[in-house]
Amino acid sequence: MDRVIIVGAGLSGSTIARLLAENGCQVTVIDKRSTVGGNVYDVKDKNGILIQPYGPHIFHTSQKEVFDFLSRFTEWFKYEHRVKANINGKLVPVPFNLTSLFETFPKDKAERIKKILLDEVGYGKKTPILSLKSHENAEVRKFADFVYKNIFEFYTKKQWGLKPEDLGEAVMNRVPVYVSEEDRYFTDEYQFQPREGFAKMVENILTHPNITLKLGKDAGKIISLSEGQIYLEGTPFDGKLIYTGCVDELFDYKYGILPYRTLKFKFKTCNRSSFQDAAVVNYTTSKPYTRISEFTKFTCQPTEKTVIVKEYSRAFKKGKNIPYYPIPVPKNYEHYDLYKKEAEGYKNLYLLGRLANYKYINMDLAVKNAMELFEKIKEDLAE
Ligand code: FAD
Ligand code: UDP
């Protein structure tokens, strides 16, 4: 079978590497970092506390096949994520729910709004803030304006430099308003964290006799593309190249730099067992950072110390920081499409993952997309 090179040892690259390897392909995975897992990499700090240097990660999915695949490489522990929003100093559940309503409004008013929400939206419903804001009932709209202002507007400005309506419902729907007391951040069927961490899970995925792993190797230095031909260290390469890095970088920024958001993380070890009342607190009305995450709370580590991280979001600058988030707005998708079309001119090039597909996806979708690409490549190989 064809030789395959995969750029990126994140969840996308590792998943497809494993599936191809089990299908008899010789696969080489390269990553410019010295670690596996991409952004889900985790490591124990000097106090033995598991932290995630590229940001807090919570696994959740409704896709059984994704959960089953990953379960081959890790044991799990049950963990259901709960987040609080800090609204002017008061901590309330987010997604904003009926409990949040009673914690932010006087009782009489909250009862009245609750009744309106039950009549107009329905108990147990989840609804995007932007739909609520344009609801036909004026009282519902008034309530939505409060939630918009206190949960979404400022946080979204900090995170994306944009207004919620610029991002649209697909993004805002990740954190809907719950017309119930549901207080979990996710409602997916499978909510677990890997017992020994994400890096160990990815290491296990990549441990296969048909996989060669090369870390600390920048693809940009060994792979080049020109007029439909891929070159590996200057020699034509006719195997398959699966690329999970930034697509603009792959094509030497031919159509300009794609916009991303980067994050600056400020970690702090605290000499106490708990720092805050929730695993994550979103600062939705104040502070320059978006949220504070407390690792020991979602890795369930018994510890006398705890570690927190504050996240500061800003525009990505090439060569200066890491591109974490594609910015999911139509203008950027059009820009991305220029690169996608360019890539289609290379019959043995496959783009995969959050950066190469320019998609704001969670871990489970990264795995799912890799599974789907594997099925496609299998068909291509069979032709
Ligand atoms: P990445 O993890 O970015 O991997 C790409 C890899 O390619 C990297 O290792 C990179 O070094 C390598 N690479 C790039 N260019 C080159 C090159 N030129 N040469 C060699 N190697 C290269 N998802 C959830 O489900 N739950 C969460 O709680 C969650 N939290 C998140 C928090 C943050 C701060 C961020 C940024 C994302 C979060 N996600 C979460 C999303 C999750 O990280 C992604 O869905 C997933 O990790 C994507 O995997 P990937 O392999 O596509 O990309
Ligand atoms: N969001 C917000 N306030 C919150 C939580 C989320 O405004 O308290 C918005 C914000 O724009 C954010 C988006 O909803 O980027 C998606 O939130 P999610 O927690 O899913 O983002 P993630 O950190 O997982 O990328």
Side-chain angles (χ1 to χ4, degrees):
M1 244 188 212
D2 271 4
R3 215 180 123 209
V4 180
I5 294 179
I6 298 173
V7 175
L11 263 183
S12 303
S14 303
T15 299
I16 197 158
R18 179 72 187 209
L19 294 171
L20 286 165
E22 289 178 351
N23 205 46
C25 284
Q26 290 297 321
V27 184
T28 302
V29 180
I30 66 175
D31 202 296
K32 60 183 169 192
R33 295 185 188 165
S34 60
T35 53
V36 298
N39 290 339
V40 310
Y41 171 70
D42 48 18
V43 65
K44 287 199 167 158
D45 72 359
K46 62 180 188 317
N47 296 307
I49 299 172
L50 195 66
I51 59 159
Q52 301 172 329
Y54 301 106
H57 280 76
I58 318 294
F59 181 76
H60 56 102
T61 190
S62 293
Q63 318 229 28
K64 184 175 183 310
E65 64 271 42
V66 169
F67 183 65
D68 287 347
F69 173 76
L70 294 177
S71 299
R72 292 173 52 203
F73 307 103
T74 185
E75 289 182 6
W76 305 95
F77 62 87
K78 182 88 196 136
Y79 171 74
E80 291 183 322
H81 196 45
R82 287 177 173 79
V83 176
K84 294 272 174 84
N86 182 316
I87 302 181
N88 301 318
K90 185 181 266 217
L91 293 191
V92 306
V94 66
F96 199 93
N97 63 11
L98 294 179
T99 312
S100 321
L101 172 67
F102 279 85
E103 286 174 1
T104 43
F105 284 86
K107 192 160 181 292
D108 289 1
K109 200 166 177 196
E111 291 287 7
R112 211 166 50 76
I113 296 171
K114 178 179 171 183
K115 183 167 181 328
I116 293 164
L117 288 174
L118 296 196
D119 290 346
E120 295 288 331
V121 184
Y123 185 80
K125 289 268 162 44
K126 292 188 215 173
T127 168
I129 184 63
L130 296 177
S131 303
L132 272 190
K133 246 175 100 46
S134 57
H135 199 277
E136 57 193 21
N137 183 303
E139 300 265 29
V140 173
R141 287 202 303 275
K142 221 166 135 192
F143 162 73
D145 285 343
F146 173 86
V147 178
Y148 177 90
K149 214 158 187 49
N150 286 284
I151 298 288
F152 292 99
E153 192 175 33
F154 184 58
Y155 187 100
T156 299
K157 181 93 183 83
K158 284 190 283 188
Q159 173 68 15
W160 301 100
L162 293 170
K163 288 186 175 155
E165 47 272 42
D166 296 331
L167 286 155
E169 275 203 355
V171 175
M172 287 305 120
N173 208 14
R174 288 170 64 95
V175 183
V177 174
Y178 291 164
V179 184
S180 67
E181 287 77 20
E182 173 65 82
D183 66 346
R184 294 172 304 164
Y185 205 64
F186 310 112
T187 51
D188 291 311
E189 184 174 353
Y190 305 98
Q191 302 193 38
F192 295 93
Q193 290 289 79
R195 191 163 288 288
E196 290 181 74
F198 288 104
K200 185 69 191 161
M201 177 180 83
V202 174
E203 200 184 303
N204 291 340
I205 296 174
L206 288 168
T207 305
H208 188 282
N210 289 347
I211 299 177
T212 306
L213 180 61
K214 294 187 177 169
L215 296 177
K217 236 183 177 18
D218 188 340
K221 299 216 164 78
I222 52 170
I223 291 170
S224 57
L225 288 84
S226 175
E227 296 179 2
Q229 177 65 56
I230 298 172
Y231 295 88
L232 181 62
E233 286 171 329
T235 308
F237 172 73
D238 294 319
K240 297 193 181 305
L241 174 63
I242 299 171
Y243 187 84
T244 75
C246 292
V247 69
D248 50 355
E249 184 183 328
L250 179 68
F251 289 106
D252 214 9
Y253 307 100
K254 187 170 176 176
Y255 301 109
I257 300 172
L258 283 170
Y260 291 91
R261 296 294 284 180
T262 190
L263 294 172
K264 183 167 180 216
F265 297 108
K266 279 196 185 159
F267 293 84
K268 191 174 168 202
T269 302
C270 311
N271 282 320
R272 49 185 154 136
S273 59
S274 175
F275 174 80
Q276 59 190 16
D277 287 345
V280 173
V281 175
N282 290 352
Y283 284 79
T284 56
T285 58
S286 63
K287 307 291 181 196
Y289 43 85
T290 51
R291 58 185 178 187
I292 298 183
S293 303
E294 187 172 354
F295 290 106
T296 49
K297 289 215 160 62
F298 52 89
T299 52
C300 295
Q301 304 168 77
T303 166
E304 283 169 11
K305 293 175 196 271
T306 191
V307 181
I308 59 159
V309 64
K310 292 179 182 170
E311 289 171 54
Y312 300 78
S313 175
R314 55 192 65 163
F316 160 71
K317 284 206 173 72
K318 175 167 108 57
K320 291 226 157 32
N321 41 42
I322 298 176
Y324 283 111
Y325 290 89
I327 305 171
V329 295
K331 179 167 69 75
N332 297 345
Y333 288 138
E334 279 167 30
H335 189 174
Y336 170 76
D337 275 346
L338 298 173
Y339 284 110
K340 193 173 161 224
K341 284 217 174 63
E342 185 79 19
E344 282 162 6
Y346 293 78
K347 65 179 187 339
N348 53 342
L349 171 65
Y350 301 84
L351 302 178
L352 178 68
R354 186 149 152 141
L355 299 172
N357 288 152
Y358 202 75
K359 282 203 178 126
Y360 180 31
I361 53 169
N362 288 334
M363 288 185 270
D364 62 334
L365 211 51
V367 171
K368 174 85 177 154
N369 291 348
M371 289 171 143
E372 284 172 358
L373 181 61
F374 165 67
E375 291 301 328
K376 180 179 179 311
I377 290 181
K378 234 176 40 177
E379 276 169 29
D380 289 355
L381 290 171
E383 273 169 15

